[in-house]
Amino acid sequence: MALNAAQPGFATTVAALRLRSWKLGAGQPMDVIDQFTDADFTHIVDDRADVHVSSRDGRFYLGYFPNGRPGGADEDWVTGEGWVIAVTGTADVPGYRMAFGTDTPAEIVAAVVARILVTSRPL
């Protein structure tokens, strides 16, 4: 960043800041959900219009909560979660869980899901 030390205070230029445009907004959730085939995954839409996808073996789970994941008064922290991805571990290796906010672009979540799916293999 170009900094002019001869003048008091902070001074720079727009070019030096290298401003960028970033993907923002929730996007289209079907970019994520369409990656799951009926042959390998179960899809459920509940009474809140939340979408739940799980692998046939039950080790992969994706939850889409357009209005935030429900939680009681003691669990306010879950209401901002729009996406939850979890993979159950094995006896030797722990699984993992990821959560994304309701405003996380679906394209970002879709890229993560695509990467997870490409690493899975039938036994």
Side-chain angles (χ1 to χ4, degrees):
M1 181 179 337
L3 187 62
N4 185 350
Q7 294 182 0
F10 179 74
T12 190
T13 65
V14 170
L17 290 175
R18 296 181 184 225
L19 296 177
R20 304 177 70 87
S21 171
W22 297 93
K23 181 72 180 165
L24 298 173
Q28 297 297 319
M30 294 311 290
D31 290 344
V32 177
I33 297 165
D34 283 347
Q35 295 184 71
F36 301 101
T37 63
D38 288 337
D40 295 323
F41 296 90
T42 301
H43 300 74
I44 297 172
V45 179
D46 66 19
D47 62 337
R48 288 177 23 105
D50 296 335
V51 178
H52 308 273
V53 177
S54 65
S55 60
R56 297 282 179 184
D57 66 1
R59 294 197 46 220
F60 174 89
Y61 170 79
L62 174 124
Y64 170 56
F65 310 96
N67 297 314
R69 191 161 70 86
D74 297 341
E75 304 176 60
D76 300 84
W77 61 275
V78 299
T79 57
E81 290 184 349
W83 298 93
V84 173
I85 299 169
V87 176
T88 303
T90 65
D92 300 323
V93 181
Y96 55 91
R97 178 186 185 280
M98 292 176 265
F100 300 90
T102 54
D103 292 324
T104 301
E107 293 88 344
I108 303 298
V109 179
V112 170
V113 166
R115 186 66 187 135
I116 292 169
L117 292 177
V118 100
T119 65
S120 72
R121 292 178 210 87
L123 296 178

